[in-house]
Amino acid sequence: MIEPSIVRTQNALRGQVWEWRGYGETIAFVPTMGALHAGHLSLVNLAKKKADRVIVSIFVNPTQFAPGEDFENYPRAEKEDVAKLASVGCDLVYVPRKGSMYRAHHATHIKVGGVAENLETDHRPTFFDGVALVVTKLLNRAAPDIAIFGEKDYQQLATIRRLVDDLDMPIKIIGAPIARDEYGLALSSRNQYFDEDGLFKARQMNKIMYSCAARLSGGADIANGTTAAEKALIDAGYSDIDYVSVACAESLEIAKSGTIEKPMRLLIAAHCEGVRLIDNCAVNPA
Ligand code: AMP
């Protein structure tokens, strides 16, 4: 097992990228906030198939957390993360030094419209501004050929595709399927906040989601299907439902009623034992 090198400055990152480019090697980039689990590692495995070299960044990005969210308490485990990345053959881990991402004079903001509106933005109004900013900066610093993002954060993936296309960044964005535990729960760094009871409740979300998707694919009305799923979540012990929505798989335009006539996505965000969970799956016409 070869240990990945750890770099903490833009210059060291660029130097390594230039060296690889000099050998004609291609580079894949996987941005993360650390506290890595098998979902993150599946992105690295995909990255290894797509490029000669894989860079993973670990940065808990303050600008995507709203006041009162879990920025301070977000799990941080650099040593364990690096060991996990070594086990899957990551070449380089980029851990920007605290304070080096947003310097004192920082005054540039990025707002993505269209796909970044509604859904998450209705509940976390500044979230995608923070994501767009940090992803732009990380992509500028790493200058990869491709970057990999999980479908777990489906609206985020769509937002980054829009951003990269709109700003003419010469980087191919690749979506990776959602990694789940043996009960179907989408893996998340925040799952470690759950006790046993919370974990049991959390694992109901994907069952409710898939059964709703099956009903919708079978011709059920979207309003009826999503209302039934909301009720099922409450019955399963969820306290707040942020949304159970059906949206066009590409434009993310929300369909409030009617039946499924083209590839759509069912997206859910709800709170379970104080932890906000999101999940999504495809809903296709029968
Ligand atoms: P995060 O560290 O939560 O910011 O996630 C970093 C990347 O990993 C993002 O592209 C996420 O969409 C992706 N990711 C997180 N959890 C999963 C999962 N369960 N399956 C696939 N990708 C994931």
Side-chain angles (χ1 to χ4, degrees):
M1 195 161 64
I2 300 167
E3 287 288 317
S5 43
I6 303 173
V7 301
R8 298 182 193 276
T9 66
Q10 275 188 73
N11 280 348
L13 175 65
R14 288 226 174 90
Q16 181 59 83
V17 167
W18 282 341
E19 189 185 327
W20 286 334
R21 287 210 182 285
Y23 305 141
E25 293 178 327
T26 55
I27 294 149
F29 182 56
V30 181
T32 80
M33 296 206 300
L36 301 182
H37 50 65
H40 297 113
L41 302 185
S42 73
L43 269 53
V44 179
N45 284 325
L46 181 60
K48 283 188 70 74
K49 292 195 187 115
K50 303 279 180 189
D52 300 313
R53 297 287 183 176
V54 177
I55 301 173
V56 173
S57 65
I58 298 177
F59 180 64
V60 184
N61 174 36
T63 62
Q64 70 191 67
F65 288 78
E69 291 187 344
D70 57 348
F71 174 69
E72 295 300 339
N73 298 329
Y74 195 84
R76 288 162 171 88
E78 184 182 313
K79 208 163 156 236
E80 291 83 351
D81 287 346
V82 172
K84 287 175 193 170
L85 291 172
S87 75
V88 288
C90 166
D91 294 285
L92 185 148
V93 188
Y94 176 46
V95 191
R97 283 218 174 86
K98 202 164 179 264
S100 72
M101 187 59 76
Y102 303 111
R103 297 176 294 275
H105 49 265
H106 187 104
T108 299
H109 303 279
I110 300 177
K111 187 163 236 15
V112 182
V115 292
E117 290 164 2
N118 307 313
L119 299 165
E120 286 298 288
T121 298
D122 289 341
H123 301 274
R124 308 177 76 190
T126 58
F127 175 68
F128 287 125
D129 303 350
V131 168
L133 184 58
V134 79
V135 169
T136 302
K137 286 174 72 78
L138 287 168
L139 293 179
N140 280 342
R141 289 179 180 198
D145 299 285
I146 67 169
I148 310 225
F149 294 84
E151 286 185 349
K152 155 94 187 332
D153 301 276
Y154 193 84
Q155 191 180 14
Q156 172 174 282
L157 171 61
T159 299
I160 289 158
R161 285 192 198 283
R162 183 79 277 123
L163 170 81
V164 164
D165 188 43
D166 286 351
L167 297 186
D168 309 317
M169 299 184 196
I171 299 165
K172 186 173 177 196
I173 302 300
I174 296 178
I178 302 175
R180 300 178 178 279
D181 74 6
E182 66 267 43
Y183 303 94
L185 173 64
L187 299 180
S188 163
S189 306
R190 291 189 172 100
N191 290 350
Q192 58 183 273
Y193 295 151
F194 288 121
D195 59 17
E196 212 176 308
D197 185 46
L199 205 51
F200 178 81
K201 288 179 188 164
R203 287 173 169 151
Q204 305 310 306
M205 180 184 275
N206 73 92
K207 297 184 179 67
I208 293 165
M209 178 181 75
Y210 286 128
S211 100
C212 176
R215 284 186 62 193
L216 295 174
S217 286
D221 176 71
I222 291 170
N224 293 341
T226 52
T227 305
E230 282 177 22
K231 187 174 176 309
L233 285 166
I234 298 286
D235 291 346
Y238 284 77
S239 51
D240 285 298
I241 314 296
D242 283 352
Y243 55 83
V244 176
S245 292
V246 173
C248 170
E250 219 171 287
S251 70
L252 284 189
E253 195 182 324
I254 292 174
K256 287 204 181 332
S257 60
T259 53
I260 304 293
E261 308 294 342
K262 60 178 182 184
M264 304 288 275
R265 207 83 191 175
L266 173 61
L267 303 111
I268 300 183
H271 299 252
C272 175
E273 306 265 308
V275 181
R276 187 172 186 275
L277 290 178
I278 59 171
D279 205 347
N280 69 85
C281 68
V283 195
N284 294 313

